[in-house]
Amino acid sequence: MWCLPMSADFDLVIVGSGFGGSLLAMIARRLGKSVVLLERGRHPRFAIGESSTPLSNLLLEELATRYDLPSLLPLCKWGPWQKACPQLACGLKRGFTFYHHRPGRPSERDDQLLVAASPHDAIADTHWYRADVDQYFVSEARKAGAEYLDEVRMESAREHEGGVRIEATRRGQPLTIDARFVVDATGPRGFLHRTFGLPEVSLPDFPRTQGLYSHFTGVARLDEMSPPTEPPPYPIDDAAVHHIFEGGWIWVLRFNNGITSAGVAAQSDLSEGALAWRRLLDRFPTIREQFADARPTMPFLHAPQLSFRSGVVAGRRWALLPSAAGFIDPLLSTGFPLTLLGVARLAEIVERDGEGLDAYARITEAELLATAGLIGALYTAMPNFPVFVALSMLYFAAASFSETARRLARPELATSFLLQNNPAFQMQTILQRTNSPTLADEIRRFIEPFNVAGLLDPRRRNWYPADAEDMLRAASKLGATRVDVAGVLARCGFQAAVQ
Ligand SMILES: Cc1cc2nc3c(=O)[nH]c(=O)nc-3n(C[C@H](O)[C@H](O)[C@H](O)COP(=O)(O)OP(=O)(O)OC[C@H]3O[C@@H](n4cnc5c(N)ncnc54)[C@H](O)[C@@H]3O)c2cc1C
């Protein structure tokens, strides 16, 4: 194994080798930079944060194409992934499934929201079995020429005129690394946040939530427990399943290796681990039945406070990746797209030798706050499913509009997450009106200029298929023609007919 001398110089030090850190390392190598990737643990290892989305897959595809990283392209869709990388476990994600629950009552058809993300399996999204996927990303980073050191204990970081000096130890040996630039990819409350003593600041109006999660075997499929009486837009369980109840929600993500990831994010005390999990399941008959034969494959992990926001995002010679700058909640899988947008922006900053950090810090913070605003409102709405559904359409409208704009090669229409910097999509105006009796109508009007997916069409009774006709009809909202949109749908394997 390669070893660093006791002191070394690099253009870029990346601390943390989750997929975010490794991806940035690959890109920086393609840009001709010398890179070292420092990891405290050792791959393969468990990591949480598993479910991708159409936008996150597209962002990964854009980065892999732009920076010539062909080995990452298969990971952007279920079909190519199964063909090219069957050794990397993953799950099939055809959409977002929501079941609403009240204590003691089974969930029924009216308690469901199903939003398809893809029309068929081949181009579907995935859940990443992170032990496999992150190990693959690291090995690709090494192939690209990044130096990689695991089992590193970071001791200190000191900013100086020419860069940052990092002191660390590895297996008892001291290590000094000088870098022109440092990226912290160690996640919330991570390395630079602690080492530089950065303040943790609150997220306005966001509830205090805890997390509790594990991996399981033996989790039943909802569609087998209670077969749907009408054909759903996609198999209900081949999705990110969200069980919503007052004060929190449970996620269920199935992988193709017999393992299912599941956990809860809630405003209650979850510190008792397995006991708290059991107590929660016992309140909701449908969830209890789904987990009746389930067994955890590892001890539960408890996060006493899930959300996090660093008061500072970047300095002159360093930056936190969005995943280190903050985290809101697993709801709606916002972590991957935020991380990938951050990687894309930091790649350009690295290319320009550090120029643009102020703008990076501003947009990273603004996107985090926009995400917190929406998810905070969704928490408030959890007891009231129609309000929850209406609010969630803000996310689905922004995400599907952004994806389609980018696929049409019009990224300027969607330069920030949740269209945060688009003056016509200022969600706070709507989020202040969650008590309005006409909220769904107001949201329907609000999202209309961005609605490319037939959202809030009452005829669909909250079951939304991936329908090419919705997108073709919405072409003009994207400044495009039906033929342009049909071209995009054909290129991404959607199979649409132009009429
Ligand atoms: C409970 C939960 C569920 C989530 N679910 C989803 C989801 O379904 N979809 C989604 O999009 N997002 C989700 N997220 C967010 C998601 O986890 C992150 O966006 C994603 O993991 C970011 O990847 P990353 O590579 O930047 O960082 P991470 O995955 O956090 O990786 C950080 C790496 O840094 C290493 N490290 C940490 N500290 C140090 C140190 N001091 N020195 C050296 N190395 C260090 C760690 O060992 C790890 O390898 C979830 C988050 C949580 C908490």
Side-chain angles (χ1 to χ4, degrees):
M1 179 188 277
W2 183 87
C3 282
L4 277 184
M6 277 165 62
S7 79
D9 286 321
F10 288 90
D11 293 324
L12 179 63
V13 170
I14 300 172
V15 191
S17 67
F19 73 88
S22 298
L23 175 58
L24 186 60
M26 284 177 237
I27 293 172
R29 286 299 303 139
R30 289 291 195 262
L31 294 172
K33 308 291 179 188
S34 56
V35 183
V36 64
L37 189 53
L38 304 175
E39 167 61 45
R40 75 172 167 199
R42 221 190 143 123
H43 290 279
R45 53 92 180 95
F46 172 87
I48 196 66
E50 298 157 326
S51 198
S52 82
T53 63
L55 184 59
S56 42
N57 281 331
L58 178 58
L59 291 168
L60 182 60
E61 187 181 316
E62 286 177 3
L63 288 168
T65 307
R66 175 167 178 185
Y67 295 104
D68 186 27
L69 301 167
S71 61
L72 301 185
L73 282 173
L75 305 191
C76 303
K77 296 183 182 101
W78 164 265
W81 183 322
Q82 297 314 298
K83 277 205 190 91
C85 303
Q87 78 284 7
L88 308 180
C90 75
L92 174 61
K93 178 174 178 181
R94 287 284 309 280
F96 292 77
T97 295
F98 298 82
Y99 273 40
H100 190 239
H101 301 269
R102 274 155 292 186
R105 275 191 44 178
S107 258
E108 291 167 2
R109 169 69 179 83
D110 286 346
D111 301 314
Q112 296 173 14
L113 166 65
L114 308 186
V115 185
S118 50
H120 54 82
D121 292 359
I123 63 167
D125 302 324
T126 47
H127 310 305
W128 298 5
Y129 190 70
R130 293 282 301 273
D132 289 356
V133 174
D134 286 10
Q135 186 175 34
Y136 181 74
F137 270 69
V138 167
S139 78
E140 292 303 309
R142 297 179 76 178
K143 279 188 208 159
E147 306 295 355
Y148 171 64
L149 292 182
D150 59 6
E151 297 182 62
V152 172
R153 194 187 150 95
M154 306 296 293
E155 305 286 356
S156 68
R158 192 170 48 80
E159 201 173 355
H160 55 81
E161 196 45 42
V164 179
R165 169 162 287 196
I166 286 181
E167 306 279 355
T169 53
R170 183 168 191 247
R171 298 177 190 156
Q173 298 296 313
L175 203 59
T176 301
I177 301 178
D178 283 304
R180 287 166 59 84
F181 197 73
V182 175
V183 171
D184 183 349
T186 59
R189 302 177 185 88
F191 169 60
L192 285 184
H193 182 79
R194 283 198 311 269
T195 305
F196 285 162
L198 306 179
E200 177 166 348
V201 287
S202 63
L203 290 155
D205 300 325
F206 196 80
R208 198 182 166 91
T209 50
Q210 300 192 7
L212 183 68
Y213 46 91
S214 187
H215 278 175
F216 298 81
T217 54
V219 179
R221 289 183 67 98
L222 296 165
D223 57 9
E224 287 173 5
M225 281 162 45
S226 170
T229 50
E230 51 192 304
Y234 57 85
I236 284 172
D237 299 83
D238 295 334
V241 174
H242 302 65
H243 291 298
I244 308 290
F245 45 85
E246 180 166 5
W249 68 285
I250 285 174
W251 66 89
V252 182
L253 313 172
R254 311 180 76 84
F255 297 110
N256 61 355
N257 59 359
I259 304 268
T260 296
S261 173
V264 54
Q267 291 169 262
S268 46
D269 178 13
L270 302 169
S271 58
E272 285 179 293
L275 252 179
W277 177 254
R278 176 51 48 205
R279 212 174 287 132
L280 190 62
L281 300 193
D282 281 346
R283 291 173 57 206
F284 305 111
T286 304
I287 318 180
R288 185 175 57 223
E289 188 183 343
Q290 183 171 32
F291 283 86
D293 297 324
R295 297 282 169 270
T297 62
M298 50 181 255
F300 278 86
L301 294 170
H302 174 234
Q305 186 174 352
L306 269 181
S307 64
F308 165 72
R309 175 185 169 204
S310 173
V312 185
V313 171
R316 272 193 320 128
R317 299 271 176 192
W318 57 269
L320 310 184
L321 208 59
S323 45
F327 177 66
I328 306 302
D329 195 87
L331 193 66
L332 301 173
S333 308
T334 58
F336 283 18
L338 287 170
T339 302
L340 291 164
L341 282 165
V343 168
R345 291 171 186 144
L346 284 175
E348 292 184 3
I349 288 169
V350 166
E351 191 169 8
R352 294 193 304 259
D353 281 328
E355 190 195 312
L357 276 168
D358 287 347
Y360 169 79
R362 273 195 304 276
I363 197 156
T364 300
E365 172 154 278
E367 289 178 340
L368 190 75
L369 288 172
T371 307
L374 177 58
I375 296 184
L378 287 167
Y379 264 94
T380 308
M382 280 174 184
N384 186 336
F385 197 52
V387 173
F388 181 93
V389 169
L391 289 172
S392 74
M393 293 298 138
L394 295 166
Y395 165 79
F396 289 112
S400 50
F401 182 87
S402 301
E403 185 203 352
T404 316
R406 296 184 87 101
R407 287 201 185 277
L408 279 161
R410 304 216 45 199
E412 71 282 3
L413 294 178
T415 53
S416 72
F417 190 58
L418 292 175
L419 301 173
Q420 169 278 324
N421 61 0
N422 187 321
F425 200 85
Q426 292 306 301
M427 285 187 302
Q428 36 317 2
T429 51
I430 284 285
L431 298 179
Q432 283 155 7
R433 300 194 42 77
T434 50
N435 289 330
S436 164
T438 56
L439 183 70
D441 289 333
E442 291 173 40
I443 291 183
R444 188 179 294 108
R445 283 195 297 277
F446 179 84
I447 65 172
E448 172 52 28
F450 304 91
N451 188 352
V452 299
L455 301 168
L456 281 173
D457 177 346
R459 289 167 302 182
R460 288 184 164 153
R461 294 184 55 221
N462 292 337
W463 279 16
Y464 295 98
D467 186 344
E469 190 50 42
D470 287 329
M471 262 176 267
L472 290 164
R473 221 179 290 123
S476 63
K477 296 179 188 179
L478 294 142
T481 65
R482 283 177 71 92
V483 174
D484 296 332
V485 173
V488 160
L489 293 172
R491 275 197 298 284
C492 71
F494 202 105
Q495 280 159 354
V498 190
Q499 287 161 10

